[in-house]
């Protein structure tokens, strides 16, 4: 009897319940949230790493800002064979860059591009300033615009040395700050518009940027070979690695318009790099993102407080033909103290800039130009066919137009084919 009680006192075993769909969904939701938090933490770490490691400058402190939500960004490429501390680049790097010794180039700003990003989301515009334009440099008189940086740097270093400063890195750091201020002020005065942000890239930066992106697409109308820059490319669309990219943007020998054609190379490189940045999945691939961050640490200096990573993420709005490139006009070529110079009309330049990026220009940005004909290329500024050329004597050709005046083939992704 008692045995029977013991046998029946145990409750019957309940069948195991299958997990309910609601419970599975809740578990998955928690897992997704956890992954999202981890991804956000990783992105924040990368951002903090970039913001804390990239060179930042106070050269724009107290400067006038653009109105209406517009942003003007000055891109400066230094023809320097030294790093940010003034140290010579290693010989193997110089050999790879095909750039000669560290004594060549000095601190000339050989690349000057003003990128205008309208606050209303309309088409962005980029203006290339030829490096040999003969302009007023504050505190220095008239000289080539590219020299503003180096002249001010040298002057500041001499002043500090006279005060007893001997620390080489301090002299380099403060000299470069003076150079940046002078270069920005010179461009601002020449163009007649505010500069809201700037990015400075040294010579090796083109190399590292292209490698970090896994190559940059460009398009050439004809094959080129130049022993000075190392450029050796076939005609057509192609992907350039770091070393090839530097040769591409530096070539001027063998080009019909020399330096003025080189500005078109720089524009094409910028368009190709922007397209690659968007198409390569850089911001969803941690390895690619870290490569980009490392490249920025080595070679880039920006104004303090600029959220560079957020701006780069907006690069999709600057690709696919959404940037109109213009090379500022040159009246004629001349000489000054034995050097070749570009003679320019300061007021003509200011009028051109005001017409292209002023408040009135934004309202008509989407309207077709009355001067636009069948030969106007997509990469040219609207209505700028008669004033956007870098050719002397006001020659009417857009920066995307060849020497013969006919429009070149333009890559479907917004990459212009250049000489």
């Amino acid at each position: 009897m008692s045995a029977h009680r013991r046998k029946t006192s145990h409750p019957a075993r309940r069948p195991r319940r299958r997990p309910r769909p609601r419970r599975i969904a809740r578990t998955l939701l928690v897992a997704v949230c956890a992954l999202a938090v981890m991804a956000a933490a990783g992105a924040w770490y990368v951002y903090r790493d970039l913001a804390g490691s990239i060179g930042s400058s106070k050269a724009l402190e107290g400067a006038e800002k653009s109105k209406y939500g517009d942003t003007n960004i000055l891109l400066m490429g230094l023809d320097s064979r030294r790093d940010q501390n003034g140290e010579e680049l290693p010989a193997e790097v110089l050999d790879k860059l095909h750039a000669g010794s560290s004594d060549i180039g000095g601190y000339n700003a050989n690349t000057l591009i003003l990128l205008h990003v309208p606050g209303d989301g309309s088409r962005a515009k980029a203006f290339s300033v030829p490096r040999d334009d003969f302009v007023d440099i504050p505190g220095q008189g008239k000289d080539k615009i590219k020299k503003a940086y180096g002249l001010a740097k040298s002057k500041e270093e001499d002043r500090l040395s006279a005060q007893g400063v001997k620390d080489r890195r301090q002299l380099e750091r403060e000299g470069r700050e003076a150079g940046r201020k002078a270069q920005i002020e010179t461009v601002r005065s020449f163009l007649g518009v505010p500069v809201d942000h700037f990015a400075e890239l040294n010579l090796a930066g083109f190399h590292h940027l292209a490698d970090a992106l896994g190559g940059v697409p460009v398009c050439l109308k004809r094959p080129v070979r130049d022993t000075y820059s190392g450029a050796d490319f076939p005609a057509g669309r192609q992907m350039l690695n770091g070393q090839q990219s530097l040769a591409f943007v530096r070539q001027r020998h063998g080009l019909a318009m020399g330096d003025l054609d080189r500005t078109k190379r720089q524009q094409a490189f910028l368009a190709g790099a922007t397209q690659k940045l968007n198409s390569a999945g850089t911001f969803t691939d941690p390895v690619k993102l870290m490569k980009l961050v490392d490249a920025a640490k080595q070679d880039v200096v920006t104004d303090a407080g600029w959220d560079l990573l957020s701006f780069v993420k907006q690069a999709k709005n600057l690709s696919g033909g959404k940037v109109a490139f213009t090379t500022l006009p040159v009246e004629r070529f001349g000489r000054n103290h034995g050097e070749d110079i570009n003679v320019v009309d300061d007021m003509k330049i200011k009028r051109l800039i005001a017409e292209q990026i002023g408040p009135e220009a934004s309202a008509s940005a989407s309207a077709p130009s009355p001067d636009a004909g069948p030969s106007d290329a997509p990469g040219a500024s609207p209505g700028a066919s008669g004033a956007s050329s870098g050719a002397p004597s006001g020659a009417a050709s857009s920066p995307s137009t060849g020497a013969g005046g006919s429009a070149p083939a333009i890559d479907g992704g917004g990459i212009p084919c250049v000489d």
Side-chain angles (χ1 to χ4, degrees), residues 19-35:
R20 295 180 179 178
R22 184 180 300 175
R23 182 178 301 174
I24 295 175
R26 186 164 55 244
T27 303
L28 288 175
L29 180 61
V30 171
V32 169
C33 289
L35 289 173

Side-chain angles (χ1 to χ4, degrees), residues 176-192:
R176 285 202 176 194
E177 277 291 86
R180 292 170 190 129
K181 289 180 182 179
Q183 192 67 65
I184 293 168
E185 177 57 30
T186 300
V187 172
R188 183 165 47 208
S189 176
F190 180 47
L191 302 185

Side-chain angles (χ1 to χ4, degrees), residues 134-212:
F134 196 60
V135 304
D136 287 312
I137 298 178
Q140 298 288 349
K142 296 202 72 168
D143 212 325
K144 295 181 180 184
I145 196 167
K146 69 178 183 181
K147 290 186 176 182
Y149 193 113
L151 290 172
K153 178 180 182 295
S154 178
K155 185 176 180 179
E156 178 66 7
E157 288 175 352
D158 289 344
R159 186 186 71 82
L160 293 172
S161 295
Q163 293 179 353
V165 177
K166 296 181 179 180
D167 184 87
R168 191 160 47 85
R169 289 204 170 188
Q170 180 183 352
L171 291 172
E172 180 74 14
R173 182 175 62 254
E174 297 192 31
R176 285 202 176 194
E177 277 291 86
R180 292 170 190 129
K181 289 180 182 179
Q183 192 67 65
I184 293 168
E185 177 57 30
T186 300
V187 172
R188 183 165 47 208
S189 176
F190 180 47
L191 302 185
V193 294
V195 174
D196 303 286
H197 298 295
F198 82 90
E200 172 191 306
L201 192 68
N202 66 18
L203 193 62
F206 290 98
H207 179 281
H208 294 145
L209 175 61
D211 279 349

Side-chain angles (χ1 to χ4, degrees), residues 63-225:
E64 178 189 359
K65 298 295 183 182
S66 295
K67 300 177 181 179
Y68 312 109
D70 294 353
T71 303
N72 292 332
I73 302 163
L74 180 60
L75 307 177
M76 301 191 299
L78 292 187
D79 194 27
S80 173
R81 277 72 169 165
R82 296 177 181 271
D83 64 18
Q84 293 184 28
N85 295 316
E87 303 292 342
E88 295 183 0
L89 294 174
E92 61 271 18
V93 174
L94 291 173
D95 289 342
K96 183 178 291 188
L97 298 182
H98 208 276
S101 72
S102 60
D103 294 327
I104 300 174
Y107 287 89
N108 289 331
N110 278 355
T111 301
L112 292 168
I113 299 176
L114 184 79
L115 178 63
H116 174 74
V117 184
D120 61 5
S122 59
R123 195 182 193 193
K125 299 176 182 179
F127 302 90
S128 288
V129 184
R131 65 175 187 166
D132 289 339
D133 283 3
F134 196 60
V135 304
D136 287 312
I137 298 178
Q140 298 288 349
K142 296 202 72 168
D143 212 325
K144 295 181 180 184
I145 196 167
K146 69 178 183 181
K147 290 186 176 182
Y149 193 113
L151 290 172
K153 178 180 182 295
S154 178
K155 185 176 180 179
E156 178 66 7
E157 288 175 352
D158 289 344
R159 186 186 71 82
L160 293 172
S161 295
Q163 293 179 353
V165 177
K166 296 181 179 180
D167 184 87
R168 191 160 47 85
R169 289 204 170 188
Q170 180 183 352
L171 291 172
E172 180 74 14
R173 182 175 62 254
E174 297 192 31
R176 285 202 176 194
E177 277 291 86
R180 292 170 190 129
K181 289 180 182 179
Q183 192 67 65
I184 293 168
E185 177 57 30
T186 300
V187 172
R188 183 165 47 208
S189 176
F190 180 47
L191 302 185
V193 294
V195 174
D196 303 286
H197 298 295
F198 82 90
E200 172 191 306
L201 192 68
N202 66 18
L203 193 62
F206 290 98
H207 179 281
H208 294 145
L209 175 61
D211 279 349
L213 291 174
V216 171
V218 300
C219 180
L220 283 170
K221 291 190 287 185
R222 56 182 62 87
V224 296
R225 185 179 179 85

Side-chain angles (χ1 to χ4, degrees), residues 285-302:
D285 187 326
V287 175
K288 290 180 179 178
L289 182 57
M290 288 309 299
K291 283 184 177 180
L292 188 63
V293 169
D294 286 339
K297 288 180 188 178
Q298 293 181 71
D299 310 305
V300 179
V301 174
T302 69

